Amino acid sequence: MALKVYNSYTRQKEVFESITPGHVGMYVCGPTVSGESHLGHARPYITFDVLFRYLRYKGYKVRYVRNITDAGHFEEEGRAAEDKVGKKALLEKLEPMELVQKYTNLFHWAFSQFNCLEPSIEPTATGHIVEQIDMIKKIIAEGYAYEVKGSVYFDVKKYATQYDYGKLSGRIIDDLLSATRELDGQQEKRDPADFALWKSAAPEHIMRWSSPWGVGFPGWHIECSAMATKYLGAEFDIHGGGMDLQFPHHESEIAQSTICNHISPVRYWMHNNMITINGKKMGKSYNNVIKLTEMFTGDHPLLTQAFSPMTIRFFILQSHYRSPLDFSSEALVASEKAFKRLWEAYSILKEFKPDETGENVTDVLLEGKVLNWLEEFDDFMDDDLSTPKVIANMFELAPIINSLKDGLIPITSLTTSTIKLMQEKFEVFMEDIFGLENENKTGNETLKGVMKLLLDIRKDAKNKKDFATSDKIRNQLLDIGVLLKDEKDGGMNWTI
RNA sequence: GGUCCUUUGGCCGAGUGGCUAGGCAAAGCUCUGCAAAAGCUUCUACAGCGGUUCGAAUCCGCUAGGGACCUCCA
């Protein structure tokens, strides 16, 4: 089956066909490193990490470009231009690049916790000022930008006469052009809908570069256009990002690149929906953010406990990326338990020795069901990354795995090849595609030795019906977070 | 105000007109020294009203609630 993705540009699911067979160019808008990443940021980077992993699974060679926005851009056109990064740096008495480095490191750390693969290229805006200036020059030469007092603006009105500005975001150009904004400096622009390509820098502005139009800094939208063009070409396959970036950011990217390269830059625009908290989007402007470090430690009034990176990753995968996802501690707790149960079943599955069974099916019905659920893994992913459905199927299989282990279902019910397929599919989807990983810290050899000793003592106690000792060991271990489970055959299991 | 989206059982969330989504919680049972885990079973919902249809959570309309974007935002 062919992969289908929802293209925001055409507003429908389309069969994915890459421009260059076997290769995919993918660009995702990265973080602005002027602050700490919060829960909302986890969604796009995990979503597109799964897409990246799935494309590779499908056999594509993928160049995944995700930028770092480290050049502060103005907060609002026309208003006194403020360099976000520069401004905060003053307050914290740090060099701008020191701050950028700090938050970039933190970002990298958080997303490695999420087991996100590193992008193929992670370009920084400050490292591509030259490319951005070149691109602006080209746009001016093409006649779609004009300079005013050291700033350069894109001429949206002119662009709209030939191209469909507003198509991606469903904007009506006349509304945009007639929109009136009571902002200072608005007079500079020929039309309120015009956006800045280059802003002249006020003297107090720390981040500044020389340009043909004077000292200043690049507009926000131009960095993505410049870097995407440089590393992926004039036309590339996938551009991803949060829905809130559709307008004006992505709309403007299309305009800039189209004028510069004479071709619409992106084949498939993909946008993830927002994470909400009490029904409201999580965002700086709403003052309702929960930072990732707070999620990991549980140190936030809205959190009843700490939540591990894998719990959060699983929580995000349990909903479809284009649906809004409402955060609550309760929902995270549910995901934590669900993930634990699923991973446990997966671990059990890994231990199966399929050779014990044969090629003679003793339960045709079950065999058929299992095979069907497994086949659907791929179908569901092909259908615009329906991760929740894949997970639902995994949960259909979990009781079967557990029953096979406990002997409630004879192992001979399924053929060798089915067991092997199940093992293979679970491994590929859980680990390679979903990027989930074991969080148990049971790998330490010393700890293992100590635990073996404790279990031996407890087994002896149990055999002597010394339940006081047996329970003491179990309860005290539970107090420090080690869960003991007795098994049917008298064995014992433990997890942290 | 404009554009668009959304409203599913106690909670979270899939849902392509006809077939049990799934998870968490809760209850009962089985297993068990007791637990835990596991297994089985129960709880069967689609905001309201009207329409289309043999048949609608799914399509259309109206009403009500919620949200996103229009300004930095993933």
Side-chain angles (χ1 to χ4, degrees):
Chain A
M1 207 169 129
L3 171 64
K4 279 181 166 177
V5 297
Y6 183 87
N7 187 350
S8 308
Y9 195 69
T10 57
R11 287 152 207 275
Q12 58 187 13
K13 280 185 200 168
E14 295 174 352
V15 174
F16 178 77
E17 284 173 31
S18 63
I19 296 166
T20 308
H23 291 258
V24 173
M26 174 163 98
Y27 189 94
V28 173
C29 287
T32 302
V33 285
S34 60
E36 241 189 279
S37 301
H38 58 75
L39 181 61
H41 294 110
R43 201 161 194 202
Y45 305 130
I46 288 173
T47 296
F48 291 107
D49 181 57
V50 169
L51 176 61
F52 180 39
R53 288 163 174 273
Y54 192 62
L55 287 167
R56 300 206 314 180
Y57 164 76
K58 298 287 273 184
Y60 290 106
K61 204 168 184 321
V62 186
R63 181 176 294 167
Y64 173 21
V65 180
R66 188 184 64 202
N67 65 294
I68 294 279
T69 299
D70 58 351
H73 43 261
F74 42 86
E75 289 188 330
E76 202 164 77
E77 290 175 43
R79 202 179 268 179
E82 287 178 318
D83 182 320
K84 272 163 73 182
V85 174
K87 192 182 171 194
K88 188 150 188 197
L90 269 176
L91 294 174
E92 299 193 6
K93 293 196 181 358
L94 287 168
E95 275 301 309
M97 287 316 285
E98 192 178 355
L99 195 66
V100 159
Q101 191 67 56
K102 175 182 157 189
Y103 288 125
T104 301
N105 290 346
L106 206 49
F107 171 79
H108 284 150
W109 171 80
F111 284 89
S112 72
Q113 295 297 298
F114 283 127
N115 199 26
C116 285
L117 299 174
E118 287 169 12
S120 323
I121 302 176
E122 193 171 49
T124 60
T126 52
H128 296 76
I129 299 292
V130 172
E131 287 82 352
Q132 295 177 67
I133 289 174
D134 281 350
M135 198 159 188
I136 296 168
K137 279 188 199 162
K138 256 188 178 173
I139 297 171
I140 294 174
E142 293 282 346
Y144 285 86
Y146 54 92
E147 186 198 341
V148 183
K149 295 180 192 162
S151 295
V152 181
Y153 296 98
F154 189 92
D155 191 337
V156 171
K157 199 172 188 175
K158 181 172 180 186
Y159 178 81
T161 58
Q162 291 181 58
Y163 303 95
D164 198 352
Y165 189 82
K167 182 177 174 183
L168 177 69
S169 53
R171 237 29 64 137
I172 295 162
I173 186 64
D174 290 336
D175 292 351
L176 293 172
L177 293 175
S178 64
T180 52
R181 293 182 222 172
E182 320 242 334
L183 301 169
D184 300 334
Q186 195 61 68
Q187 307 84 340
E188 260 186 34
K189 294 198 255 179
R190 289 184 192 162
D191 192 281
D194 293 350
F195 57 86
L197 297 170
W198 187 267
K199 282 296 264 183
S200 76
E204 65 272 18
H205 210 92
I206 300 172
M207 286 195 148
R208 52 207 288 137
W209 292 267
S210 294
S211 79
W213 316 284
V215 176
F217 58 96
W220 174 35
H221 316 306
I222 196 73
E223 72 172 79
C224 286
S225 286
M227 295 189 279
T229 303
K230 175 164 183 176
Y231 297 112
L232 297 172
E235 190 192 23
F236 56 96
D237 298 296
I238 296 171
H239 190 129
M243 262 182 180
D244 50 352
L245 295 181
Q246 267 184 10
F247 189 89
H249 186 52
H250 292 159
E251 200 72 70
S252 302
E253 262 188 76
I254 294 175
Q256 294 162 347
S257 295
T258 300
I259 291 306
C260 231
N261 303 324
H262 306 107
I263 186 167
S264 191
V266 176
R267 281 280 185 90
Y268 305 92
W269 282 95
M270 295 178 72
H271 292 97
N272 63 277
N273 214 314
M274 300 292 105
I275 286 185
T276 58
I277 180 159
N278 295 323
K280 276 257 193 301
K281 175 184 163 186
M282 188 177 287
K284 278 174 233 165
S285 17
Y286 297 99
N287 252 327
N288 61 355
V289 299
I290 305 179
K291 293 175 192 165
L292 290 175
T293 46
E294 291 167 340
M295 291 296 301
F296 297 163
T297 59
D299 185 20
H300 191 280
L302 285 165
L303 299 175
T304 53
Q305 60 169 83
F307 292 104
S308 73
M310 282 306 118
T311 297
I312 296 167
R313 189 171 176 114
F314 190 73
F315 171 67
I316 287 171
L317 261 33
Q318 268 186 304
S319 76
H320 191 263
Y321 76 93
R322 283 191 291 111
S323 300
L325 175 59
D326 197 45
F327 161 86
S328 69
S329 242
E330 292 83 350
L332 261 298
V333 168
S335 287
E336 181 181 78
K337 290 183 180 172
F339 175 58
K340 208 170 175 186
R341 193 166 104 83
L342 195 60
W343 193 272
E344 185 72 19
Y346 168 51
S347 306
I348 290 167
L349 175 65
K350 279 206 274 199
E351 298 302 316
F352 284 170
K353 310 250 182 323
D355 296 336
E356 287 168 11
T357 174
E359 286 307 324
N360 298 320
V361 198
T362 58
D363 192 337
V364 183
L365 197 68
L366 182 69
E367 171 96 355
K369 272 182 170 174
V370 168
L371 287 175
N372 189 46
W373 281 322
L374 292 173
E375 274 167 28
E376 283 177 339
F377 282 17
D378 291 86
D379 297 343
F380 290 155
M381 283 303 283
D382 279 341
D383 185 17
D384 196 29
L385 308 182
S386 298
T387 53
K389 287 180 160 185
V390 177
I391 291 172
N393 272 22
M394 287 176 167
F395 274 110
E396 295 283 4
L397 288 157
I400 292 167
I401 293 167
N402 288 325
S403 295
L404 284 168
K405 183 208 169 212
D406 289 342
L408 295 169
I409 297 174
I411 192 90
T412 52
S413 300
L414 299 174
T415 58
T416 302
S417 58
T418 300
I419 303 258
K420 278 185 178 160
L421 184 68
M422 196 156 42
Q423 289 176 323
E424 184 192 309
K425 284 283 174 195
F426 261 81
E427 185 175 342
V428 168
F429 277 78
M430 291 280 274
E431 302 203 42
D432 299 345
I433 297 173
F434 288 172
L436 297 165
E437 61 185 3
N438 195 2
E439 290 188 310
N440 275 356
K441 308 135 202 138
T442 53
N444 184 307
E445 289 305 317
T446 310
L447 178 62
K448 277 183 184 170
V450 173
M451 281 306 296
K452 187 174 181 309
L453 174 65
L454 279 171
L455 292 192
D456 281 347
I457 294 172
R458 183 159 178 273
K459 275 177 197 166
D460 289 345
K462 270 187 77 176
N463 289 337
K464 286 185 236 159
K465 300 229 185 281
D466 175 9
F467 295 124
T469 304
S470 155
D471 288 353
K472 184 180 177 185
I473 292 174
R474 187 176 64 197
N475 294 337
Q476 290 205 5
L477 281 173
L478 188 62
D479 285 346
I480 58 166
V482 180
L483 182 69
L484 271 196
K485 285 185 277 187
D486 289 339
E487 296 182 321
K488 279 210 163 56
D489 53 9
M492 289 175 203
N493 223 329
W494 61 282
T495 52
I496 296 177

